[in-house]
Amino acid sequence: MDSWVRFNSQSQAKERVFRAAQYACTLLGYTLQKGGSGVELLKMVKQLETHISLTRKLMRLGNSAEAVEAAKRAVHLSDSVLRLCLTVAHLNKAMYFACDNVLWAGKAGLLPKLDQDKWSQRSFRYYLFALILNLTRDAYEIRLLMEREARSSHGGSNATWTSSPPSPSPENGDLSHPHPSSSSFPVAILPLLSERFGRQFHLLGTVLRSNPPLLLDLLKNACDVFIPLDRLGIYPTGQGFVGACGLASSILSILTIVHPWLKLKP
Amino acid sequence: MDSWIRFSAQSQAKERVFRAAQYTCTLLGYTLQKGGASVEFLKTVKQLEAHVSLTRKLMRLGNSTEAVEAAKRAVHLSDSVLRLCLTVAHLNKAMYFACDNVLWAGKAGLLPQLDQVKWSQRSFRYYLFALILNLTRDAYEIRLLMEREARSSHVGSKATWTSSPPSPPSPHPSSLTPENVDLSDPSSLPGAILPVRLRRQFHLLVTVLRSNPPLLLDLLKNVCDVFIPLDRLGIYPTGQGFVGACGLASSVLSILTIVHPWLKLKP
C-alpha cells in the first residue's frame, strides 16, 4: 500500500498508467471490432480512449520545459555520440510536447480553427525522430558493450591458449586469405559466416542479459516506434498492433518507475 | 526552471494547478456572464471548465487509497481530539474520492445509467464533513496555542512586575480598570469591559496566527473551501462568482504549501 502511495504521488507514474489504459482501450477496441461486438460497447471503449488521450495531453502541459532541461543536461556529456543523440532527442521531445499542447488546445475548444490533422502529423514526426535517436543511442551502447565483452572474453581465451596447444579450429584459420583455387570456397565460408553470426548473437544476448536497463530501453523504444510509423502512414500496422505495442511500452515504462535501477542512465 | 520541474513532477502539484485553472474558468464564466460577453466565448470557457474538471476526476483515481493510509497514520496520534478529527476527516475524504471516481465513470460514459446528480450530492456531502472536521481541528489548534500564549504572556508580565517597582495605588481603588476586574467572571463585567476582553482575545488570536503561518494558511484554505460544498448542496448558496473566487484562492494557498513544504500544517 505504501509503495502504491509513493508511486501515485509521481506525476509521470500516473501519466504512464493512463497511457497503458489508453492503449489497452485501443487494443480492446480492435479485438471487439474483430469479434463483432455490440456497437454500443465499441462506442463506449472508443469514447474512453479519446477521453484518456485528452486527459494525458492536459497532464503533459509543461513537459516541454522538462525536456529542454534534460537537453541542457545532455549537452555536457563527455561521449560525443551520446551527447548528440540525447540532446537532439530531448529537443525533439520538447517540440513533440509543444505540438501536443497546441493539439490539446484545439481538442478542448480553445483553438476551434486549428487544423488538428496537420498538428497531429507534426507532433508524431517529432516523436518518431526522438525515438529513432533513442534507438540509435541504444545501438551505440550495445556496440560499445559488445566490443568490451568480446575484448574481455578474448583476453580469457588468450590465457587458455597459453596453457593448452591451439586446436585446428576456424578461429586459427587465416580467413583473410581464402584459397583462390578452392572450388568449395562458397560452401566453406557459409559455416564460418553462420558461426560468426552465432557468436555475435550470443555476445548480444550476453550483453543484454547483463544490462537489464539497456534491454528494457531497447524493447520500449522498439515497441514505441511502431506507433508514429503507423500514424504517419510510413509503415501501417493496424490498431491492434499499435495497441499491443503501446501497452507493452507503457508497462515497461511503469517498471522503470517502480524500480528506478532499471532506468537507463544518462 | 529547476524548481518548476520538481513541482511538476508531483502528481498533487499538477492537480492543484488544474484546480486553480478550473475555478478560474468558473470565475471567468461568471464575470463574462455579468459583463454580457459573447455566447460563443462563454461556451468555450464552460467547456474548458468541464474538461478540466473531468481531467481532475481521472487524475484523482487511486487517491482514496492515500486518504485511507493517511487515516491509518492519524489513528496513532497521541492527542485524542486531533486523532478523532484527522482520522474521520481522512476517511470522509476517502469516501469523497470514491464517489468522485464513480462520478467520473458516469461522465466518461462507463456507467451511462448513473444518477450523476445524486452521486455529486453524495460526494459533496462527504467533502463538506471532511472540511468541517478540518476547521474543527484548526479551531482546536488555535485554542491550544492561544492558551499557551496567554499563559506565557501572563508569566512574562509577572516577571516584569517582580523586577520593576509596583505602580502607585490608584486614587480610586474601586474603579473598574481592566487590570482590577476579575475577567473569569463575566457577570461582574460592565458593558465597557467586554470589548476590552474581546480585544485582548482578538489580539491573542492575531499573535497566534502571525506566529503560525501553516495554521493560518490551513484555516484560510478550509474557510475558502467550505463555501464550495455549501453552495453545491444548496445549504448556503453564494453563486458562481463567489465559489470561483473561493476555489481559486484555496488552490493558490494549496500550491503555496506544495512549493514551500514548511507552510504545510503537520500532522
Side-chain angles (χ1 to χ4, degrees):
Chain A
M1 190 75 89
D2 204 49
S3 55
W4 161 254
V5 171
R6 269 200 308 275
F7 176 81
N8 197 38
S9 68
Q10 294 174 71
S11 181
Q12 200 195 359
K14 267 193 172 170
E15 199 273 330
R16 291 288 118 177
V17 170
F18 294 149
R19 187 178 191 260
Q22 183 190 329
Y23 284 110
C25 285
T26 308
L27 185 59
L28 184 64
Y30 172 80
T31 314
L32 291 171
Q33 209 164 1
K34 281 278 170 189
S37 186
V39 181
E40 199 59 48
L41 182 61
L42 196 63
K43 188 185 162 192
M44 192 193 291
V45 170
K46 293 271 184 201
Q47 192 180 324
L48 182 62
E49 186 195 333
T50 308
H51 166 54
I52 295 173
S53 167
L54 200 55
T55 296
R56 281 183 57 229
K57 282 190 192 336
L58 177 55
M59 278 180 81
R60 288 197 304 232
L61 283 175
N63 277 23
S64 287
E66 286 187 42
V68 169
E69 278 299 301
K72 278 186 195 172
R73 284 197 300 273
V75 161
H76 304 294
L77 291 171
S78 54
D79 189 308
S80 57
V81 179
L82 280 183
R83 184 166 64 238
L84 177 73
C85 285
L86 288 176
T87 306
V88 183
H90 284 306
L91 289 174
N92 270 279
K93 234 175 197 172
M95 290 304 292
Y96 158 63
F97 285 133
C99 290
D100 219 38
N101 296 347
V102 172
L103 202 54
W104 169 79
K107 285 182 188 286
L110 289 177
L111 301 171
K113 304 267 199 279
L114 189 83
D115 185 347
Q116 288 185 27
D117 277 333
K118 189 182 84 176
W119 278 95
S120 180
Q121 294 282 302
R122 192 173 287 170
S123 161
F124 277 118
R125 218 171 286 136
Y126 284 119
Y127 183 40
L128 177 62
F129 196 44
L131 286 170
I132 288 168
L133 284 160
N134 282 336
L135 282 166
T136 307
R137 176 259 176 104
D138 289 336
Y140 173 70
E141 293 257 20
I142 287 167
R143 206 204 73 187
L144 283 183
L145 289 167
M146 277 173 76
E147 280 177 6
R148 193 181 299 165
E149 182 68 29
R151 221 175 292 131
S152 67
S153 66
H154 192 65
S157 56
N158 264 353
T160 318
W161 290 342
T162 53
S163 59
S164 62
S167 58
S169 63
E171 282 91 340
N172 306 322
D174 189 7
L175 292 176
S176 57
H177 304 290
H179 207 281
S181 62
S182 172
S183 58
S184 62
F185 162 62
V187 183
I189 206 160
L190 277 172
L192 293 177
L193 274 172
S194 65
E195 194 174 325
R196 192 180 174 187
F197 274 123
R199 200 181 301 137
Q200 287 290 310
F201 189 73
H202 180 260
L203 210 56
L204 176 67
T206 309
V207 161
L208 291 176
R209 200 182 294 139
S210 61
N211 282 278
L214 183 57
L215 173 62
L216 245 71
D217 197 67
L218 179 66
L219 286 173
K220 188 167 72 70
N221 290 327
C223 285
D224 274 336
V225 85
F226 289 104
I227 301 166
L229 284 174
D230 179 86
R231 294 281 197 266
L232 292 167
I234 298 167
Y235 183 71
T237 47
Q239 285 279 79
F241 191 74
V242 164
C245 282
L247 181 58
S249 145
S250 302
I251 290 167
L252 292 172
S253 278
I254 289 166
L255 263 177
T256 63
I257 293 167
V258 173
H259 304 294
W261 63 273
L262 285 172
K263 192 164 177 67
L264 187 61
K265 291 173 184 76
Chain B
M1 189 74 91
D2 206 49
S3 55
W4 159 254
I5 287 167
R6 272 200 307 275
F7 176 80
S8 188
Q10 296 173 70
S11 173
Q12 200 195 358
K14 269 194 172 168
E15 199 273 329
R16 291 287 118 177
V17 169
F18 295 149
R19 187 178 191 261
Q22 182 190 330
Y23 284 110
T24 302
C25 287
T26 308
L27 185 59
L28 186 64
Y30 172 81
T31 314
L32 291 170
Q33 211 163 0
K34 282 278 170 188
S38 66
V39 181
E40 198 59 47
F41 188 42
L42 196 63
K43 189 185 161 192
T44 303
V45 171
K46 294 271 184 199
Q47 192 180 323
L48 181 63
E49 186 195 335
H51 167 55
V52 176
S53 167
L54 198 55
T55 296
R56 281 183 58 229
K57 283 191 192 333
L58 177 55
M59 278 180 81
R60 288 197 304 230
L61 283 175
N63 278 23
S64 288
T65 318
E66 286 189 41
V68 169
E69 278 298 300
K72 278 186 195 172
R73 284 196 301 273
V75 161
H76 304 295
L77 291 172
S78 53
D79 189 308
S80 57
V81 179
L82 280 183
R83 184 166 64 238
L84 177 73
C85 285
L86 289 176
T87 307
V88 183
H90 284 305
L91 289 174
N92 270 279
K93 233 176 196 170
M95 289 304 292
Y96 158 63
F97 285 134
C99 290
D100 219 38
N101 295 347
V102 172
L103 201 54
W104 169 79
K107 285 182 188 284
L110 289 177
L111 301 171
Q113 315 290 302
L114 189 83
D115 185 347
Q116 288 185 27
V117 177
K118 189 182 83 176
W119 278 94
S120 179
Q121 293 282 302
R122 191 172 286 169
S123 161
F124 277 118
R125 218 171 286 134
Y126 284 120
Y127 183 40
L128 177 62
F129 196 44
L131 285 170
I132 288 168
L133 284 160
N134 282 336
L135 282 166
T136 308
R137 176 259 177 104
D138 289 336
Y140 174 70
E141 293 257 20
I142 287 167
R143 206 204 72 188
L144 283 183
L145 289 167
M146 277 173 76
E147 281 177 5
R148 193 181 298 165
E149 182 68 29
R151 220 175 292 130
S152 68
S153 66
H154 192 65
V155 168
S157 57
K158 268 192 175 168
T160 316
W161 292 341
T162 53
S163 60
S164 62
S167 55
S170 168
H172 308 288
S174 61
S175 67
L176 289 165
T177 60
E179 285 78 7
N180 303 330
V181 171
D182 179 17
L183 292 174
S184 61
D185 181 18
S187 59
S188 69
L189 293 171
I193 302 303
L194 262 172
V196 174
R197 189 184 178 184
L198 282 174
R199 206 176 300 134
R200 196 178 299 144
Q201 286 290 310
F202 184 72
H203 180 260
L204 211 56
L205 174 67
V206 169
T207 308
V208 161
L209 291 176
R210 200 184 292 144
S211 61
N212 283 277
L215 183 56
L216 173 63
L217 245 71
D218 196 67
L219 179 66
L220 286 172
K221 189 167 72 71
N222 290 327
V223 167
C224 285
D225 274 336
V226 85
F227 288 104
I228 301 166
L230 285 174
D231 178 86
R232 295 281 197 266
L233 292 167
I235 298 167
Y236 183 71
T238 47
Q240 285 278 79
F242 191 74
V243 164
C246 282
L248 179 58
S250 146
S251 302
V252 170
L253 292 172
S254 277
I255 289 166
L256 262 177
T257 62
I258 293 168
V259 173
H260 304 294
W262 63 273
L263 286 172
K264 192 165 177 67
L265 187 62
K266 291 172 183 75

